[in-house]
Every structure is written in C-alpha cells, then in structure tokens.
Amino acid sequence: MATERRYMYYPKSLLSQSCLSFLLLITATLIDTALGIQRIVEHPTDQSVIVDNSVILHCKVADRVGTVQWTRNKFGLGNDRSLSAYPRYSVIGSQVNGEYNLWIQNASLLDDGVYECQISHTATQRGVRSNPAKVSVLLPPREPTIDSSPVITVTEGIDYNITCRSYDGKPAPNITWWINGQLQNKRSYEIVTTQSDGKREDIVGLMTIKPSKQDHGKEFECRAINPALTSYLKTTAKLHVLYKPQVTLSVSPPTEVTENTVMQFKCQADANPRVTSWKWYRNGNILSESSQLLEITSRQNYHGQTIKCEAINTVGKTTKSYKLNIEYSPRFVKEPLNVDADLGGRATLNCVVDGNPVPRVIWKKGSQEFPISKPTLTFSRALTEADFGTYVCVASSNLGSVERQVQLLKNGKPKVTGDLRQYAAEGDDAVIECESDSVPKPKEILWSRGSSKIATTGSSRFSTKESDLVKGRKSILTIKNIHAADYGDYNCTVINNYGMDSAIIKLIQKVASASTSDTRDAVPLAYVLAGVFGGLGVIVIIVVILIIYNRKKVKDEDSTADTNSTDSANKKNLENVRMEFRSTGSEYPGPQEPWRGDYLANHIRADAEYDQLGNIIPYQHTKQDGRPPVNGYGGHYDYQDGNMYDVDRRSSDRLPTYDSKGIHPRSYDSGFEPDVYPKQYGRPPPSSEFTNDIYGPPPTVTTGRLSTNV
C-alpha cells in the first residue's frame, strides 16, 4: 500500500497534559520510594537499529519483589536473563543494581516492534510496566535504477517522465535528481509503496521533462538515501534526443542580385536522426526534391518571392525561407492610357511603373519638364489649348530608364476617316472598314444603306466588329458571300457625346482573274507583268545602245584614219595649186568662203586627176550652220545629167541626192542669203526652185585640166 509522509504537529494543550503526566509520575515515584513499593526507575526508549547491528533497551528497577521480564509486541520473551528461546536476545546489566537491559544482537526485521520492561505482581506488590519503547530496524534500499537506462531515447518537444526506482528500503529512501551534476528541484515527485510484510517500502521517483535539442547527450542522475545508509546510492542515464532538422540556408551571391543572375542556394541541417529527404519551393510551388542544392536564374517577377528549403526526417520537418531581392530596371506595370478632357476642365495623367530600386518618375512635354517626381500628373487648374498634346513619362534608376507617351486629348465631335473606296470580289466576304477620330470614344457606330439601317443582330450575312484606335474607334462591317446587288454606297455614322459625323463608303467590285476559278484582284498582277516586261525592254534597249556605240566607235576610228590620209593628199594638192598660182604671177587667195567656192565651181574645171575643189579645200562645218560634221570637212558633190550626186570617197557608188522637188535629202537651209552677188563673175541670183540650195544650179562639169574662164 502506498503511504504518504506527514509531519506531526502537537497542540499546546497536549504539551500541557504531558507535563502534568510527568509531574504526576515524579510524584508517584517519590511516594513509592517513600513507601518502599517496587518500581521502574529507568524506562526504555525508542531505538533505531540498522539491520545486522545491535541495540540495547535500558530498564532499571528498584525495591523489586516480583520477577522482571521483557515483552515484544506484548509477547513475553522469558524470565531468565539468558533468554534461551531467543539466541540473539539477552538481559544484561547488574542485577544487584536492578539493571535489566535487553540486548538485541544482529538485528533483523523480526526485531522490529514495541518492547516493554515489566515487574510481575506479588501478594503484597502490584505489577509494574515500563513505558513502551519502539525498536525500528532500518533496512537500506537496493541500488536505484532508471527505466530505459543507460540511454533514454526521447523526442524533442514531447513531455517525458524519467523514472527512477528503489526497492526494499526501510524506510523508503529519498530520491533526488541531478543533470550534469546540477541538483534539480523542479517537476519531480515520488510514489512510496509498502510491501506485504508491512515493513519494507518501495519508491518510484519521477522527473518530467520537455526535451529539446540542447538536452541531447545530457547525463541524468538519480540518487537514493535513507537512514540505513551513510552515503547515497546513485544511477545515471544518458539522454538521446530525437529532434527534427535544424536548418540553415546560405545564398550566393547574397546581395545585389540583378536579373538573369545565376543564384545558388545551399540547405544544411542538424538532425537526429539524419535528414531523409529535401524539398525546395518557390512561392509555395515545389521546384526540386533531390538535393541540398538549388540553382536558379533570377527573373524580374521573382522579386519579393520566397525560396524555401524543407528538410525532413522521421521526427518531422523544418523549413528555412529566403526572400528574393532582385534588382531590375524600370518598367511599366501597364501601358499608360491616353486621357480625354474638356477644354477648361480638369485631368490627371497616370504612369504606373515598377523597378528595384524604386525608379524616379518625371513628366515632360516637349522641352518642358514638370517639377514633380511621382507617377501622377494632375492638372488642378482649368485646361487650356496649350495643355493638350503629347506628354512623356520617364522612369529611371541606376539600372536604366524607360519612357512612354501619354496623350491628353481634347473632347470634341467625331470625324470619319479612312478609305472611302473599298473593294471586294463577287462571291467573297466583303470587309468594309470605317475609322474615326473621336475623343471621347464613340457611343455608337451605325451602318446604313440608303435610308435603311443595316441590321446585324441575328443576320447570317451581316456582322460588325469594333476595335479601339488611339484617337477613336474602327468599325468593320462584314458581308458574307457578296453578290452584285451588294455593291454600292454604305453610310457609316459615328456618334459621341459631343456630336456626330458620317461618310459614304463605296464598295466596288474587284476584277476577276481569268486563270483561276477564284475571284481575285487583277490590278496587282498587271503591275507585276508590266514590271517584268518593262524590265526586259530596258535591258534590250541598253544592249542595242551598246552595240550601236561600239559600231560607231569602230567607224569613227576608220574614218579618222581615212581623213588623215586624205589630209596628207590634200596638202600635197594644195601645194601644187599654190605653185601654179606663183608660175602665173598670181597669189593663191586661200580657202574660199562657202558661196565663193560654189560660185567658182561654175567657172573652174578640173580633169579626172582632181576632184571638186571642195575635196582639196578643207571646210569645217560649225554647229551654227546646222550641218553635221563629216570627218572635219564639208561634203562634196558632183553634177551629172542635170542631177546632183554625193560623192563618197570610200565608195565607188554614186547615189542621186535630189528628191522630186529638186532638194537634196541632206540639204538644209543655212539661212545665209547674201543680198549682193559678185556680178563681176557674171552669176545671177539663183532661181526660185533652188532657193533652198545655196550652191545654185548644177554646173557643167568638165574633165579637162584645171583652167580659168577669162
């Protein structure tokens, strides 16, 4: 049975009664002494003895008449002093002096009890009993033990009772706990159980702990001691703490990470037992389950996200997180929107940017910069005409800058723009576009034909689709499988809060291609063919020009050679003429003027050894007279049978040179018509039929030697 230790408290009234009893006893003793009555003058007292040791209970009597004996637990031990029935017991002391002391040797638990010293009564004396004396035999406990020793395995964070047990003690020992040599006074308690013999006791000491990783490997010591021991008994046990991973996370590079940087994460853990698996997460999404290492390439959208490492063992799992700080250049969260406003109204332009570090934002309009540094430009005053236009939002940081244009548009009536002539082939789907400049955006864009609105709802042929433009909106009218009746005028009407505008768009039939069953626009094909043939024509013309140029060049080279030869001959002839003039005493007059040469041709004859005078007298045509040059010399002619012939020295052929009107094909009007002809030569003015020929009528050519008509 379990017993509980208690402290005994005695009230003052009880103490007073004890004192009174003691006084009465003293008084009775004095009376008995005076009267000679047998009595016990020394009473035994409570004694404790360790097992196997000896103890003496004292008893001294006076004026004894009766017999003295000891009782144990009210059972008499015998009258003789040797107490032969109890070998370990004997009565010692001087009988003469009235000493009857009980000596107990090799005490055992059997000796544990209440003892009394008694004097038997006689005929004249009454019997006397001493005060009871308790003999307590002390038994040391067995060595204490700790459950699960020598190593106690516990789990971190879970309450655990470390139990120390000690048996067969009398009384039960006290249990104390020590950790690494330090006395522990908290969270311990004991349970005492009395054995069936009613004497020995067992004790269980418990200390409750909530183990942590820091308790791993600590030594717990249980000490037990009772009055039978002169020193404590002890036992120890090591604490083996199972704990989930304690994680550390390292990052490289640790700071100043920009976009597209390779980042390495390393996860390490102290765990008991060891880590069985690793997991990596980015913003809650699993990335890897295989290694302590993770490598990623930084992205702008990773900024502010969390990389988490998770280490797992049989006890549990632990995570360690790292918040990404990715530096990136400024960028627009969303494209700035144009803003429309009324003249005299208010407006706010917004420019939402993002960047790390936070970019600086400025606004500009042309060369003007606004003295604000925030993504919102607010016009708190009435807008004027000068306020409308294009603004630029510039966001910059040490990593770069970006800018966007934002239009501040003035509200007004819409205006239909775009192509008013559009095309479609019969049988195709026609797409008619109507674009509009409209600030604000149109409320409605209507299509009609004639006086009838085109209904698109529920129609299988007609449908419309609208899309916003920077300054307005575009409406597309689609007509499926168009036929001849669909061509013509379509009215597009645009309506906004400030008015309306409309335009007639003409749908025109495309030309059908004959080479295919499909209907196609022929105009581009014509352009292609024209380009091909035009290119071929240009190439042919260039080739012809090159051929003519080369031939002309060869001819000119041949002509130059002939001319050089002729010049040499002419010089010789000219020298002969000069000598002839000198032989007659006359002076050579030099080259003749054109009209004079023609005039002399009538009066000078040459024999077959000479050509016309023009052959030996050089005449250089000029650009002013309009005649084409011929190797630097004037043309020469022959007159025969009343006709004029062109004499070509490089050919023996003579070709007639006059047409039906008497005009040579190579003739031209030089514009030279002298008013006075040299009459001394007897030449009249030319006849009317030769007014275009300054050379006059064909002379009579002779073949005689050169002579003069005098």
Side-chain angles (χ1 to χ4, degrees), residues 590-609:
Q592 305 296 312
E593 295 178 1
W595 65 270
R596 181 173 293 179
D598 292 341
Y599 182 79
L600 293 176
N602 263 340
H603 301 85
I604 299 175
R605 296 187 300 274
D607 60 18
E609 296 178 11

Side-chain angles (χ1 to χ4, degrees), residues 557-568:
E557 290 174 353
D558 293 343
S559 176
T560 301
D562 292 344
T563 301
N564 292 337
S565 176
T566 303
D567 285 346
S568 177

